[in-house]
Amino acid sequence: MSVHALRGGARAEYDVVLVGAGLVGAALALALAPQSLRVALIEAQPLDQMEQPGYDERTTALSFASVRILQSLGVWSALARHASPIRHIHVSQQGGFGVSRFDAREVGVDALGQVLPNHHLIAALLDRLGRQEDLDVYAPSRVVAVHQDGGRMRVRLEDQTERFEIHSRLLVAADGAESPVRTLLGVGVTRRDYGQSAIIANVSPGIAPQGRAFERFTPDGPIALLPLSEARCALVWTVSSLAQQWALELPDAQFLEELEARFGRRLGRFERVGRRRAYPLALVRSRRMVEGRTVFLGNAAHAIHPVAGLGFNLALREAAILAEILAEATDPGDRDILEGFEQRIERYQDQIIGFSDALPRLFAQRFPGFEHARSLGLLGLDLLPALKTGFVLHTMGLDSGMPALARGSGPSRITGGGP
Ligand SMILES: Cc1cc2nc3c(=O)[nH]c(=O)nc-3n(C[C@H](O)[C@H](O)[C@H](O)COP(=O)(O)OP(=O)(O)OC[C@H]3O[C@@H](n4cnc5c(N)ncnc54)[C@H](O)[C@@H]3O)c2cc1C
């Protein structure tokens, strides 16, 4: 990998230019590495400042299928020791009697998923990318203009000192929910504000989670607790937008009391909470996944409610499918190729987005009798083995349309050792 702070030495013509070295852009760059494509990765931030470790580190719940993809990309061996397995998921609602439990053993696997600090994930991806000789990285550099010009995209970059232009046959915008590339190309979004914010923090409960993840639905929104190392849990507590400041400003002891009042004492008393951060929640979906020779991926394509922790998992799957489809292409920006990509991802994407959108709204309904129906729904899920197994396989990211990388059969010429 050559990192270009300046234009000097870089090529101007690429097959694929990826904008954004967040989790999604970095994963796609790695998935493309075995192919003989000229690839450039552009990132606005300095690469060594992407995520910070510590008690307050941010985490991502990875589905079973995502772990398989990361294994195929050759990064899991560096990540496994930092991961906390999810062996059991407990779903309940405040004030309702129904409970549903999902156990890894029921579907014959060791773990339903893994929870991983983001800084380890991005560091492992960037480290592996650093060993790819054919990849050009422009960081810190910002994309400031894009134009389609016949069979190529013209991409204008700006770093601390100058502006310059590179060209590619395919442009992939993995530049986040506010996607500057999407705006520059005039592609609109559909947006639904949930009127909610996710309060994120790491907490230490009295009883170590030991592989248990919890999803608890309250009238204000869901609370997710995911197992982390050092007996911590990653908390994602959804509150109404009006309660955001309240939740951020409460003294620690009171915050933990409020949490316990809603979550109960399944994990004993909460003893510590780290720094709290708020993320206003909205479903933002690009009106198009493909615009000419540009593909939108990750949050640039769809930023979804974090209730089920599926945003990155969905994006990683789509990145793996794109890499698989490009392996067969002579022109990576060819219209038929990109249409094939859209068709392949459409159905599953709609299902996951629909699920993540419906779940918090279903549990937010306050009509008389609704709580009872929901309790029965949770009980039904727990009692009907076929339905439950289907639900679990879905959240594990396992279905018939999985990318080859998730089946462990993708191309393998990623430099730097095996999984
Ligand atoms: C509270 C919360 C919890 C979540 N938990 C989970 C979970 O448990 N599991 C899960 O699967 N998903 C989860 N998600 C979703 C997940 O975080 C996102 O899907 C993921 O971060 C999207 O990554 P990305 O690479 O698309 O975007 P980003 O991480 O936003 O990366 C975009 C990158 O593009 C760069 N960029 C922007 N503009 C430019 C430009 N002009 N030029 C160059 N570079 C540019 C940015 O600097 C950035 O590095 C959660 C989300 C939230 C909000």
Side-chain angles (χ1 to χ4, degrees), residues 18-26 42-45 50-51 58-63 66 115 118 138 141-144 157 174-181 184 198-200 226 236 279-281 297-306 308-315:
L18 309 177
V19 187
L23 293 177
V24 177
I42 304 164
E43 170 53 50
Q45 296 182 54
M50 301 287 283
E51 287 282 341
R58 273 199 59 193
T59 49
T60 295
L62 298 169
S63 70
S66 291
V115 187
N118 289 5
Y138 296 81
S141 272
R142 245 167 15 96
V143 170
V144 290
L157 309 183
D175 51 348
E178 299 305 323
S179 178
V181 170
L184 289 166
I199 306 295
I200 309 295
L226 303 169
V236 183
Y279 292 83
L281 297 179
L297 269 194
N299 274 0
H302 38 64
I304 66 180
H305 198 296
L310 293 174
F312 175 65
N313 291 307
L314 175 62

Short mmCIF file of all heavy atoms in Angstrom, two decimals, residues 18-26 42-45 50-51 58-63 66 115 118 138 141-144 157 174-181 184 198-200 226 236 279-281 297-306 308-315, ligand 1:
data_model
loop_
_atom_site.label_atom_id
_atom_site.label_comp_id
_atom_site.label_asym_id
_atom_site.label_seq_id
_atom_site.Cartn_x
_atom_site.Cartn_y
_atom_site.Cartn_z
N LEU A 18 -12.48 3.96 -4.08
CA LEU A 18 -13.37 3.83 -2.92
C LEU A 18 -13.25 5.10 -2.09
O LEU A 18 -12.14 5.48 -1.72
CB LEU A 18 -12.95 2.66 -2.03
CG LEU A 18 -12.73 1.30 -2.68
CD1 LEU A 18 -12.25 0.29 -1.63
CD2 LEU A 18 -14.03 0.82 -3.27
N VAL A 19 -14.36 5.72 -1.78
CA VAL A 19 -14.33 6.92 -0.94
C VAL A 19 -14.78 6.54 0.46
O VAL A 19 -15.92 6.08 0.64
CB VAL A 19 -15.24 8.04 -1.50
CG1 VAL A 19 -15.04 9.32 -0.70
CG2 VAL A 19 -14.94 8.27 -2.97
N GLY A 20 -13.90 6.72 1.44
CA GLY A 20 -14.23 6.39 2.83
C GLY A 20 -13.52 5.12 3.27
O GLY A 20 -13.77 4.05 2.72
N ALA A 21 -12.61 5.26 4.24
CA ALA A 21 -11.93 4.08 4.80
C ALA A 21 -12.50 3.79 6.18
O ALA A 21 -11.77 3.45 7.11
CB ALA A 21 -10.43 4.29 4.85
N GLY A 22 -13.83 3.95 6.33
CA GLY A 22 -14.51 3.46 7.54
C GLY A 22 -14.55 1.94 7.46
O GLY A 22 -13.89 1.33 6.60
N LEU A 23 -15.33 1.32 8.32
CA LEU A 23 -15.36 -0.14 8.35
C LEU A 23 -15.74 -0.72 6.99
O LEU A 23 -15.18 -1.72 6.55
CB LEU A 23 -16.38 -0.61 9.40
CG LEU A 23 -16.03 -0.31 10.87
CD1 LEU A 23 -17.15 -0.76 11.78
CD2 LEU A 23 -14.72 -0.99 11.25
N VAL A 24 -16.67 -0.07 6.30
CA VAL A 24 -17.19 -0.65 5.06
C VAL A 24 -16.20 -0.46 3.91
O VAL A 24 -15.87 -1.41 3.18
CB VAL A 24 -18.57 -0.04 4.73
CG1 VAL A 24 -19.10 -0.56 3.41
CG2 VAL A 24 -19.55 -0.35 5.86
N GLY A 25 -15.69 0.77 3.74
CA GLY A 25 -14.74 1.02 2.66
C GLY A 25 -13.47 0.18 2.83
O GLY A 25 -12.96 -0.39 1.86
N ALA A 26 -12.99 0.09 4.07
CA ALA A 26 -11.76 -0.68 4.31
C ALA A 26 -12.00 -2.17 4.02
O ALA A 26 -11.14 -2.84 3.43
CB ALA A 26 -11.30 -0.48 5.76
N ILE A 42 -9.74 6.49 -0.60
CA ILE A 42 -9.59 7.90 -0.20
C ILE A 42 -10.25 8.09 1.16
O ILE A 42 -11.41 7.69 1.34
CB ILE A 42 -10.28 8.83 -1.22
CG1 ILE A 42 -9.72 8.57 -2.61
CG2 ILE A 42 -10.11 10.28 -0.83
CD1 ILE A 42 -10.59 9.14 -3.71
N GLU A 43 -9.54 8.68 2.10
CA GLU A 43 -10.12 8.88 3.43
C GLU A 43 -9.81 10.31 3.90
O GLU A 43 -8.66 10.76 3.83
CB GLU A 43 -9.57 7.84 4.42
CG GLU A 43 -9.90 8.09 5.87
CD GLU A 43 -11.39 8.28 6.17
OE1 GLU A 43 -12.21 7.45 5.72
OE2 GLU A 43 -11.74 9.27 6.85
N ALA A 44 -10.85 10.98 4.41
CA ALA A 44 -10.69 12.37 4.83
C ALA A 44 -9.87 12.50 6.11
O ALA A 44 -9.18 13.50 6.33
CB ALA A 44 -12.07 13.00 5.02
N GLN A 45 -9.94 11.47 6.98
CA GLN A 45 -9.22 11.57 8.26
C GLN A 45 -7.85 10.90 8.16
O GLN A 45 -7.68 9.98 7.37
CB GLN A 45 -9.98 10.81 9.34
CG GLN A 45 -11.34 11.34 9.67
CD GLN A 45 -11.93 10.51 10.79
OE1 GLN A 45 -11.31 10.35 11.84
NE2 GLN A 45 -13.10 9.95 10.56
N MET A 50 -8.60 6.90 13.46
CA MET A 50 -9.96 6.48 13.11
C MET A 50 -10.80 6.08 14.34
O MET A 50 -11.95 6.43 14.44
CB MET A 50 -9.91 5.33 12.12
CG MET A 50 -9.20 5.66 10.82
SD MET A 50 -10.14 6.75 9.75
CE MET A 50 -11.32 5.64 9.06
N GLU A 51 -10.26 5.33 15.29
CA GLU A 51 -11.01 4.91 16.48
C GLU A 51 -10.04 4.81 17.66
O GLU A 51 -8.89 4.46 17.48
CB GLU A 51 -11.65 3.52 16.28
CG GLU A 51 -12.84 3.49 15.34
CD GLU A 51 -14.14 3.99 15.97
OE1 GLU A 51 -14.23 4.04 17.21
OE2 GLU A 51 -15.04 4.34 15.20
N ARG A 58 -15.93 2.09 21.36
CA ARG A 58 -17.20 1.73 20.71
C ARG A 58 -17.11 0.32 20.15
O ARG A 58 -16.03 -0.13 19.77
CB ARG A 58 -17.52 2.72 19.59
CG ARG A 58 -18.27 3.93 20.07
CD ARG A 58 -18.95 4.61 18.90
NE ARG A 58 -19.88 3.70 18.23
CZ ARG A 58 -20.42 3.95 17.04
NH1 ARG A 58 -20.13 5.04 16.40
NH2 ARG A 58 -21.27 3.09 16.49
N THR A 59 -18.24 -0.36 20.12
CA THR A 59 -18.20 -1.77 19.71
C THR A 59 -19.23 -2.05 18.62
O THR A 59 -20.18 -1.30 18.44
CB THR A 59 -18.52 -2.68 20.91
OG1 THR A 59 -19.69 -2.18 21.53
CG2 THR A 59 -17.39 -2.71 21.90
N THR A 60 -19.03 -3.17 17.94
CA THR A 60 -19.98 -3.62 16.92
C THR A 60 -20.28 -5.09 17.16
O THR A 60 -19.37 -5.88 17.41
CB THR A 60 -19.37 -3.44 15.50
OG1 THR A 60 -19.19 -2.04 15.27
CG2 THR A 60 -20.28 -3.99 14.42
N ALA A 61 -21.58 -5.42 17.10
CA ALA A 61 -21.97 -6.83 17.18
C ALA A 61 -21.90 -7.41 15.78
O ALA A 61 -22.55 -6.91 14.86
CB ALA A 61 -23.38 -6.95 17.74
N LEU A 62 -21.08 -8.43 15.61
CA LEU A 62 -20.90 -9.05 14.29
C LEU A 62 -21.73 -10.32 14.22
O LEU A 62 -21.69 -11.15 15.14
CB LEU A 62 -19.43 -9.41 14.09
CG LEU A 62 -18.45 -8.23 14.09
CD1 LEU A 62 -17.02 -8.75 14.15
CD2 LEU A 62 -18.65 -7.39 12.84
N SER A 63 -22.44 -10.49 13.13
CA SER A 63 -23.21 -11.72 12.95
C SER A 63 -22.25 -12.87 12.64
O SER A 63 -21.08 -12.66 12.29
CB SER A 63 -24.22 -11.56 11.81
OG SER A 63 -23.52 -11.50 10.58
N SER A 66 -20.85 -12.42 9.24
CA SER A 66 -19.80 -11.40 9.15
C SER A 66 -18.46 -11.95 9.63
O SER A 66 -17.41 -11.63 9.06
CB SER A 66 -20.18 -10.17 9.99
OG SER A 66 -21.27 -9.51 9.41
N VAL A 115 -18.90 -9.78 19.65
CA VAL A 115 -18.87 -8.32 19.86
C VAL A 115 -17.41 -7.88 19.85
O VAL A 115 -16.57 -8.48 20.53
CB VAL A 115 -19.52 -7.93 21.20
CG1 VAL A 115 -19.62 -6.41 21.31
CG2 VAL A 115 -20.90 -8.57 21.33
N ASN A 118 -14.57 -1.44 17.95
CA ASN A 118 -14.36 -0.93 16.59
C ASN A 118 -12.89 -0.63 16.28
O ASN A 118 -12.44 -0.80 15.16
CB ASN A 118 -15.16 0.36 16.38
CG ASN A 118 -16.64 0.08 16.31
OD1 ASN A 118 -17.08 -1.06 16.50
ND2 ASN A 118 -17.43 1.11 16.04
N TYR A 138 -5.11 7.53 -0.35
CA TYR A 138 -5.00 8.99 -0.23
C TYR A 138 -5.61 9.37 1.12
O TYR A 138 -6.84 9.34 1.27
CB TYR A 138 -5.75 9.68 -1.36
CG TYR A 138 -5.21 9.40 -2.74
CD1 TYR A 138 -5.55 8.23 -3.41
CD2 TYR A 138 -4.36 10.32 -3.37
CE1 TYR A 138 -5.05 7.98 -4.69
CE2 TYR A 138 -3.86 10.07 -4.65
CZ TYR A 138 -4.22 8.90 -5.29
OH TYR A 138 -3.74 8.64 -6.55
N SER A 141 -7.29 12.94 2.70
CA SER A 141 -7.69 13.64 1.47
C SER A 141 -9.20 13.59 1.37
O SER A 141 -9.79 12.55 1.67
CB SER A 141 -7.12 12.92 0.24
OG SER A 141 -5.86 13.38 -0.08
N ARG A 142 -9.79 14.66 0.93
CA ARG A 142 -11.25 14.73 0.85
C ARG A 142 -11.70 14.79 -0.59
O ARG A 142 -11.09 15.51 -1.40
CB ARG A 142 -11.73 16.02 1.54
CG ARG A 142 -12.55 15.81 2.78
CD ARG A 142 -12.74 17.06 3.59
NE ARG A 142 -12.44 18.31 2.95
CZ ARG A 142 -13.33 19.10 2.35
NH1 ARG A 142 -14.60 18.76 2.29
NH2 ARG A 142 -12.95 20.25 1.81
N VAL A 143 -12.76 14.08 -0.92
CA VAL A 143 -13.35 14.22 -2.25
C VAL A 143 -14.18 15.50 -2.24
O VAL A 143 -15.04 15.69 -1.37
CB VAL A 143 -14.26 13.01 -2.57
CG1 VAL A 143 -15.06 13.25 -3.84
CG2 VAL A 143 -13.42 11.76 -2.70
N VAL A 144 -13.91 16.38 -3.21
CA VAL A 144 -14.65 17.65 -3.24
C VAL A 144 -15.51 17.80 -4.49
O VAL A 144 -16.39 18.66 -4.53
CB VAL A 144 -13.71 18.87 -3.09
CG1 VAL A 144 -13.14 18.93 -1.69
CG2 VAL A 144 -12.59 18.83 -4.12
N LEU A 157 -9.87 15.60 -5.60
CA LEU A 157 -9.48 15.45 -4.19
C LEU A 157 -8.81 16.72 -3.69
O LEU A 157 -8.22 17.47 -4.47
CB LEU A 157 -8.47 14.32 -4.02
CG LEU A 157 -8.78 12.96 -4.62
CD1 LEU A 157 -7.68 11.98 -4.26
CD2 LEU A 157 -10.10 12.48 -4.09
N ALA A 174 -18.44 4.99 0.08
CA ALA A 174 -18.66 4.42 1.42
C ALA A 174 -18.30 5.53 2.40
O ALA A 174 -17.51 5.34 3.32
CB ALA A 174 -17.80 3.18 1.62
N ASP A 175 -18.86 6.72 2.13
CA ASP A 175 -18.43 7.92 2.85
C ASP A 175 -19.43 8.36 3.91
O ASP A 175 -19.52 9.55 4.23
CB ASP A 175 -18.11 9.06 1.86
CG ASP A 175 -19.23 9.31 0.86
OD1 ASP A 175 -20.15 8.47 0.78
OD2 ASP A 175 -19.19 10.33 0.17
N GLY A 176 -20.18 7.40 4.46
CA GLY A 176 -20.98 7.68 5.65
C GLY A 176 -22.38 8.21 5.36
O GLY A 176 -22.76 8.47 4.22
N ALA A 177 -23.16 8.36 6.44
CA ALA A 177 -24.58 8.68 6.32
C ALA A 177 -24.83 10.02 5.62
O ALA A 177 -25.83 10.18 4.93
CB ALA A 177 -25.22 8.69 7.71
N GLU A 178 -23.92 10.96 5.77
CA GLU A 178 -24.11 12.27 5.12
C GLU A 178 -23.48 12.29 3.73
O GLU A 178 -23.45 13.33 3.07
CB GLU A 178 -23.53 13.39 5.98
CG GLU A 178 -24.17 13.53 7.36
CD GLU A 178 -25.68 13.70 7.30
OE1 GLU A 178 -26.16 14.37 6.37
OE2 GLU A 178 -26.38 13.14 8.17
N SER A 179 -22.94 11.18 3.29
CA SER A 179 -22.27 10.98 2.00
C SER A 179 -22.10 12.21 1.10
O SER A 179 -22.98 12.54 0.30
CB SER A 179 -23.01 9.89 1.21
OG SER A 179 -22.41 9.70 -0.04
N PRO A 180 -20.95 12.88 1.18
CA PRO A 180 -20.70 14.00 0.27
C PRO A 180 -20.81 13.59 -1.20
O PRO A 180 -21.30 14.37 -2.02
CB PRO A 180 -19.27 14.44 0.61
CG PRO A 180 -19.04 13.95 2.00
CD PRO A 180 -19.84 12.70 2.15
N VAL A 181 -20.39 12.35 -1.53
CA VAL A 181 -20.46 11.91 -2.93
C VAL A 181 -21.91 11.87 -3.40
O VAL A 181 -22.25 12.30 -4.51
CB VAL A 181 -19.78 10.53 -3.11
CG1 VAL A 181 -20.05 9.97 -4.50
CG2 VAL A 181 -18.29 10.63 -2.85
N LEU A 184 -22.93 15.36 -4.01
CA LEU A 184 -22.29 15.90 -5.21
C LEU A 184 -22.94 15.37 -6.48
O LEU A 184 -23.01 16.06 -7.50
CB LEU A 184 -20.79 15.56 -5.21
CG LEU A 184 -19.94 16.31 -4.17
CD1 LEU A 184 -18.57 15.65 -4.01
CD2 LEU A 184 -19.79 17.78 -4.56
N ALA A 198 -29.95 7.14 20.38
CA ALA A 198 -29.31 6.00 21.04
C ALA A 198 -28.26 6.56 21.99
O ALA A 198 -27.40 7.34 21.58
CB ALA A 198 -28.66 5.09 20.02
N ILE A 199 -28.37 6.20 23.26
CA ILE A 199 -27.34 6.58 24.24
C ILE A 199 -26.39 5.39 24.34
O ILE A 199 -26.81 4.27 24.66
CB ILE A 199 -27.96 6.87 25.64
CG1 ILE A 199 -29.08 7.91 25.52
CG2 ILE A 199 -26.88 7.30 26.63
CD1 ILE A 199 -28.65 9.28 25.08
N ILE A 200 -25.14 5.65 24.02
CA ILE A 200 -24.13 4.59 23.97
C ILE A 200 -23.17 4.76 25.14
O ILE A 200 -22.70 5.87 25.38
CB ILE A 200 -23.27 4.72 22.69
CG1 ILE A 200 -24.14 4.83 21.46
CG2 ILE A 200 -22.27 3.59 22.54
CD1 ILE A 200 -24.94 3.62 21.19
N LEU A 226 -24.71 -5.82 25.34
CA LEU A 226 -23.92 -6.85 24.66
C LEU A 226 -22.71 -7.20 25.51
O LEU A 226 -22.11 -6.31 26.13
CB LEU A 226 -23.42 -6.31 23.31
CG LEU A 226 -24.50 -5.84 22.34
CD1 LEU A 226 -23.89 -5.10 21.17
CD2 LEU A 226 -25.30 -7.04 21.84
N VAL A 236 -26.64 0.03 24.47
CA VAL A 236 -27.28 0.91 23.48
C VAL A 236 -28.70 1.13 24.01
O VAL A 236 -29.54 0.23 23.94
CB VAL A 236 -27.33 0.26 22.07
CG1 VAL A 236 -27.95 1.23 21.06
CG2 VAL A 236 -25.94 -0.16 21.61
N TYR A 279 -26.56 9.37 19.78
CA TYR A 279 -26.70 9.33 18.32
C TYR A 279 -28.17 9.51 17.97
O TYR A 279 -28.97 8.60 18.20
CB TYR A 279 -26.22 7.98 17.76
CG TYR A 279 -24.74 7.78 17.90
CD1 TYR A 279 -24.20 7.30 19.09
CD2 TYR A 279 -23.88 8.08 16.86
CE1 TYR A 279 -22.84 7.12 19.25
CE2 TYR A 279 -22.51 7.91 17.00
CZ TYR A 279 -22.00 7.43 18.20
OH TYR A 279 -20.66 7.26 18.34
N PRO A 280 -28.57 10.69 17.44
CA PRO A 280 -29.96 10.86 17.00
C PRO A 280 -30.27 9.82 15.93
O PRO A 280 -29.45 9.58 15.03
CB PRO A 280 -29.98 12.28 16.42
CG PRO A 280 -28.80 12.96 17.06
CD PRO A 280 -27.76 11.89 17.24
N LEU A 281 -31.44 9.16 16.04
CA LEU A 281 -31.72 8.02 15.16
C LEU A 281 -32.67 8.39 14.02
O LEU A 281 -33.70 9.01 14.22
CB LEU A 281 -32.33 6.88 15.98
CG LEU A 281 -31.42 6.31 17.05
CD1 LEU A 281 -32.13 5.20 17.81
CD2 LEU A 281 -30.11 5.79 16.45
N LEU A 297 -22.49 2.39 -0.70
CA LEU A 297 -22.37 1.25 0.22
C LEU A 297 -22.38 1.74 1.67
O LEU A 297 -22.01 2.88 1.95
CB LEU A 297 -21.05 0.52 0.01
CG LEU A 297 -20.95 -0.64 -0.97
CD1 LEU A 297 -19.63 -1.36 -0.72
CD2 LEU A 297 -22.09 -1.63 -0.88
N GLY A 298 -22.73 0.85 2.59
CA GLY A 298 -22.68 1.17 4.02
C GLY A 298 -23.66 2.27 4.35
O GLY A 298 -24.75 2.36 3.77
N ASN A 299 -23.28 3.13 5.30
CA ASN A 299 -24.19 4.19 5.73
C ASN A 299 -24.54 5.15 4.60
O ASN A 299 -25.57 5.81 4.64
CB ASN A 299 -23.55 4.99 6.88
CG ASN A 299 -23.84 4.34 8.23
OD1 ASN A 299 -24.50 3.31 8.29
ND2 ASN A 299 -23.34 4.93 9.29
N ALA A 300 -23.70 5.24 3.58
CA ALA A 300 -24.02 6.11 2.44
C ALA A 300 -25.24 5.57 1.70
O ALA A 300 -25.98 6.31 1.06
CB ALA A 300 -22.83 6.18 1.49
N ALA A 301 -25.47 4.26 1.80
CA ALA A 301 -26.63 3.64 1.14
C ALA A 301 -27.81 3.55 2.09
O ALA A 301 -28.95 3.80 1.71
CB ALA A 301 -26.26 2.24 0.64
N HIS A 302 -27.53 3.17 3.34
CA HIS A 302 -28.62 2.99 4.31
C HIS A 302 -28.07 3.08 5.73
O HIS A 302 -27.24 2.29 6.14
CB HIS A 302 -29.33 1.65 4.12
CG HIS A 302 -28.41 0.51 3.75
ND1 HIS A 302 -27.43 0.04 4.58
CD2 HIS A 302 -28.31 -0.22 2.62
CE1 HIS A 302 -26.78 -0.94 3.99
NE2 HIS A 302 -27.29 -1.11 2.78
N ALA A 303 -28.53 4.09 6.46
CA ALA A 303 -28.19 4.18 7.89
C ALA A 303 -29.45 3.77 8.62
O ALA A 303 -30.50 4.40 8.47
CB ALA A 303 -27.79 5.60 8.25
N ILE A 304 -29.37 2.68 9.40
CA ILE A 304 -30.60 2.09 9.96
C ILE A 304 -30.60 2.14 11.48
O ILE A 304 -29.56 2.40 12.11
CB ILE A 304 -30.81 0.64 9.45
CG1 ILE A 304 -29.71 -0.30 9.96
CG2 ILE A 304 -30.86 0.61 7.93
CD1 ILE A 304 -29.88 -1.75 9.48
N HIS A 305 -31.75 1.87 12.07
CA HIS A 305 -31.89 1.86 13.54
C HIS A 305 -30.96 0.78 14.12
O HIS A 305 -30.96 -0.35 13.62
CB HIS A 305 -33.34 1.56 13.89
CG HIS A 305 -33.71 1.94 15.30
ND1 HIS A 305 -33.13 1.34 16.39
CD2 HIS A 305 -34.58 2.86 15.78
CE1 HIS A 305 -33.65 1.87 17.50
NE2 HIS A 305 -34.52 2.80 17.15
N PRO A 306 -30.20 1.11 15.17
CA PRO A 306 -29.24 0.11 15.68
C PRO A 306 -29.87 -0.95 16.57
O PRO A 306 -29.15 -1.75 17.16
CB PRO A 306 -28.25 0.97 16.47
CG PRO A 306 -29.02 2.16 16.91
CD PRO A 306 -30.08 2.40 15.87
N ALA A 308 -31.16 -3.83 16.31
CA ALA A 308 -30.75 -5.24 16.21
C ALA A 308 -29.28 -5.37 15.82
O ALA A 308 -28.81 -6.47 15.56
CB ALA A 308 -31.64 -5.96 15.20
N GLY A 309 -28.55 -4.24 15.77
CA GLY A 309 -27.11 -4.29 15.45
C GLY A 309 -26.86 -4.90 14.08
O GLY A 309 -26.02 -5.79 13.93
N LEU A 310 -27.57 -4.43 13.07
CA LEU A 310 -27.46 -5.08 11.76
C LEU A 310 -26.83 -4.20 10.68
O LEU A 310 -26.57 -4.67 9.57
CB LEU A 310 -28.85 -5.54 11.29
CG LEU A 310 -29.48 -6.66 12.12
CD1 LEU A 310 -30.91 -6.93 11.67
CD2 LEU A 310 -28.66 -7.93 12.02
N GLY A 311 -26.58 -2.92 10.97
CA GLY A 311 -26.13 -1.98 9.93
C GLY A 311 -24.83 -2.40 9.26
O GLY A 311 -24.74 -2.51 8.03
N PHE A 312 -23.81 -2.64 10.06
CA PHE A 312 -22.52 -3.02 9.47
C PHE A 312 -22.60 -4.43 8.88
O PHE A 312 -22.02 -4.71 7.83
CB PHE A 312 -21.40 -2.93 10.51
CG PHE A 312 -20.09 -3.44 9.98
CD1 PHE A 312 -19.45 -2.79 8.94
CD2 PHE A 312 -19.51 -4.59 10.49
CE1 PHE A 312 -18.25 -3.27 8.41
CE2 PHE A 312 -18.31 -5.08 9.97
CZ PHE A 312 -17.68 -4.42 8.93
N ASN A 313 -23.33 -5.30 9.54
CA ASN A 313 -23.45 -6.68 9.02
C ASN A 313 -24.06 -6.68 7.62
O ASN A 313 -23.59 -7.40 6.73
CB ASN A 313 -24.30 -7.52 9.98
CG ASN A 313 -23.58 -7.77 11.29
OD1 ASN A 313 -22.45 -8.25 11.29
ND2 ASN A 313 -24.19 -7.42 12.40
N LEU A 314 -25.09 -5.86 7.44
CA LEU A 314 -25.72 -5.77 6.11
C LEU A 314 -24.72 -5.20 5.10
O LEU A 314 -24.58 -5.70 3.98
CB LEU A 314 -26.97 -4.88 6.21
CG LEU A 314 -27.69 -4.56 4.91
CD1 LEU A 314 -28.22 -5.83 4.25
CD2 LEU A 314 -28.85 -3.58 5.15
N ALA A 315 -24.02 -4.14 5.52
CA ALA A 315 -23.08 -3.47 4.61
C ALA A 315 -21.92 -4.39 4.23
O ALA A 315 -21.47 -4.41 3.08
CB ALA A 315 -22.56 -2.20 5.25
C1 LIG B 1 -25.26 3.47 18.13
C2 LIG B 1 -24.94 2.56 16.99
C3 LIG B 1 -24.64 1.22 17.23
C4 LIG B 1 -24.39 0.36 16.17
N1 LIG B 1 -24.14 -0.96 16.43
C5 LIG B 1 -23.98 -1.81 15.39
C6 LIG B 1 -23.77 -3.20 15.63
O1 LIG B 1 -23.69 -3.65 16.78
N2 LIG B 1 -23.65 -4.04 14.54
C7 LIG B 1 -23.73 -3.56 13.26
O2 LIG B 1 -23.66 -4.37 12.32
N3 LIG B 1 -23.89 -2.25 13.02
C8 LIG B 1 -24.02 -1.37 14.04
N4 LIG B 1 -24.17 -0.04 13.79
C9 LIG B 1 -24.07 0.45 12.40
C10 LIG B 1 -22.61 0.67 12.00
O3 LIG B 1 -22.00 1.52 12.94
C11 LIG B 1 -22.55 1.31 10.62
O4 LIG B 1 -23.21 0.45 9.72
C12 LIG B 1 -21.11 1.47 10.14
O5 LIG B 1 -20.38 2.25 11.03
C13 LIG B 1 -21.11 2.15 8.78
O6 LIG B 1 -19.78 2.35 8.38
P1 LIG B 1 -19.43 3.14 7.05
O7 LIG B 1 -18.02 2.74 6.73
O8 LIG B 1 -20.48 2.96 6.04
O9 LIG B 1 -19.53 4.68 7.46
P2 LIG B 1 -18.59 5.55 8.38
O10 LIG B 1 -18.09 4.78 9.54
O11 LIG B 1 -19.35 6.81 8.65
O12 LIG B 1 -17.32 5.88 7.46
C14 LIG B 1 -17.35 6.82 6.44
C15 LIG B 1 -15.93 7.31 6.19
O13 LIG B 1 -15.93 8.18 5.05
C16 LIG B 1 -15.05 9.25 5.31
N5 LIG B 1 -15.44 10.40 4.48
C17 LIG B 1 -16.56 11.15 4.60
N6 LIG B 1 -16.58 12.12 3.67
C18 LIG B 1 -15.45 11.98 2.93
C19 LIG B 1 -14.91 12.68 1.82
N7 LIG B 1 -15.51 13.75 1.27
N8 LIG B 1 -13.73 12.26 1.29
C20 LIG B 1 -13.09 11.18 1.83
N9 LIG B 1 -13.56 10.49 2.89
C21 LIG B 1 -14.73 10.87 3.43
C22 LIG B 1 -15.22 9.52 6.80
O14 LIG B 1 -14.11 10.21 7.35
C23 LIG B 1 -15.37 8.11 7.36
O15 LIG B 1 -14.14 7.55 7.77
C24 LIG B 1 -24.42 0.85 14.84
C25 LIG B 1 -24.68 2.20 14.60
C26 LIG B 1 -24.95 3.05 15.66
C27 LIG B 1 -25.26 4.51 15.38
#
